[in-house]
Amino acid sequence: MLEQSRRGASPRVRRRRTLVAATAGLLVIAGGGAVILGGLTGRATSGDTGPTTSAAPTETEPAITPAEPRPSPSASPDPAAAPTFDREAHSIDDPNSIWVVVDKLRPLNPTDYSPGDLVDVPVPFQNKPQLRQEASDAVVALFAAFTAETGLALQSQSAFRSFDAQTRVYNNDLVNLGQAGADLSTARPGTSEHQTGLTIDISAQPGECSLNACFADTPHGQWLAANAWRFGYLLRYPADKIPVTGYEFEPWHFRYIGIDLATEMHNTGVTTLEEFFGLPAAPSYG
């Protein structure tokens, strides 16, 4: 046996050794391929071609609730129309109306008109006054308020004048002042506001600047100019409206038109009936 080692292994043994070595080599190669193939298969399965990182767990997104439709804005109500003054509440032509407009272009109809409800006015006076009942009640309240607020007193100079009485007054002025002077200061019969029973001439008691423009500068005249509207009276012939009314300034001449109209004219700043009712100016007789 020793000799056989020296000479080398027999061919049979060498064949067996070669077969064993080849088999082992094949097994090694097959095992390595399996390892490689497993690695490739894992990567292909994961779908990654490079280094991988752990993916964060995904949270379930909340379902999106559709927004509730906004209610359409309700139509805003139309603003309430401001009440307008009814300029046709009373006639401006009827001599029995408290709004009747009498001037040099608008004579009374009939020209000898006389109110049917005249009463004696219970106020101090120079000449006993008569007015229509509504105007009388208003002027009594006016006189009382004036005294309460100022401690002074008023009196009546003149109130209702009939057609005949107005004829006498006008003719007297015609003699003393001439035609132009008479027409500027005194109405011709049939065109006088005194004939309506709605007008009163007021003076101070005791008398001061009676029937004179200086009455406007007295406490009496100033209070009347500022407050007569509260009682339904209008300063009928303002100083700056001679071209409209046709009469010189008469701070003593007050015409009853009712509280509603007097208040509206006061609030709007309109000072003559002609302008308020859109009538022609009456500087002279037509």
Side-chain angles (χ1 to χ4, degrees):
M1 180 145 179
L2 182 59
E3 183 180 355
Q4 197 174 29
S5 298
R6 290 175 182 169
R7 289 184 297 177
S10 66
R12 182 180 178 183
V13 171
R14 288 196 299 270
R15 286 197 302 270
R16 188 176 294 171
R17 289 177 178 173
T18 301
L19 181 60
V20 170
T23 301
L26 289 174
L27 289 176
V28 170
I29 293 171
V35 170
I36 295 170
L37 181 62
L40 292 175
T41 302
R43 290 183 183 178
T45 302
S46 67
D48 292 335
T49 58
T52 62
T53 57
S54 299
T58 58
E59 297 181 359
T60 303
E61 295 184 0
I64 299 176
T65 303
E68 295 184 2
R70 295 182 179 179
S72 57
S74 57
S76 57
D78 293 334
T84 56
F85 186 80
D86 184 3
R87 296 171 187 254
E88 298 181 356
H90 298 281
S91 171
I92 61 173
D93 302 312
D94 183 353
N96 291 302
S97 169
I98 62 171
W99 287 5
V100 62
V101 180
V102 184
D103 59 29
K104 293 178 179 180
L105 297 179
R106 295 176 58 84
L108 289 165
N109 184 19
T111 55
D112 61 351
Y113 166 78
S114 181
D117 60 344
L118 291 172
V119 297
D120 293 335
V121 186
V123 295
F125 58 83
Q126 284 293 312
N127 299 288
K128 187 175 182 179
Q130 286 189 316
L131 290 172
R132 293 180 59 182
Q133 183 68 66
E134 185 176 344
S136 174
D137 293 343
V139 86
V140 168
L142 183 154
F143 275 40
F146 172 78
T147 298
E149 294 176 20
T150 68
L152 303 173
L154 296 169
Q155 64 181 351
S156 169
Q157 283 290 132
S158 178
F160 169 72
R161 289 200 295 265
S162 67
F163 180 87
D164 291 340
Q166 188 67 26
T167 300
R168 292 192 295 271
V169 171
Y170 180 78
N171 288 341
N172 184 65
D173 283 351
L174 195 60
V175 170
N176 294 318
L177 303 174
Q179 185 77 61
D183 285 343
L184 186 60
S185 62
T186 304
R188 294 178 184 178
T191 64
S192 171
E193 286 201 323
H194 283 282
Q195 197 176 322
T196 66
L198 298 170
T199 298
I200 185 170
D201 292 339
I202 303 173
S203 65
Q205 187 189 43
E208 180 184 357
C209 289
S210 299
L211 304 181
N212 195 294
C214 64
F215 180 67
D217 300 321
T218 67
H220 308 70
Q222 291 174 347
W223 187 95
L224 286 169
N227 294 282
W229 67 271
R230 293 162 45 195
F231 304 90
Y233 275 90
L234 172 70
L235 175 61
R236 182 67 173 98
Y237 303 131
D240 61 340
K241 296 297 180 178
I242 295 174
V244 176
T245 66
Y247 293 104
E248 61 187 355
F249 180 37
E250 294 189 1
W252 61 85
H253 180 114
F254 288 86
R255 158 69 191 278
Y256 182 74
I257 55 176
I259 291 176
D260 290 345
L261 178 54
T263 300
E264 181 70 10
M265 292 182 69
H266 172 76
N267 290 342
T268 57
V270 181
T271 58
T272 70
L273 294 175
E274 287 81 5
E275 291 172 309
F276 185 84
F277 288 111
L279 298 172
S284 60
Y285 293 95

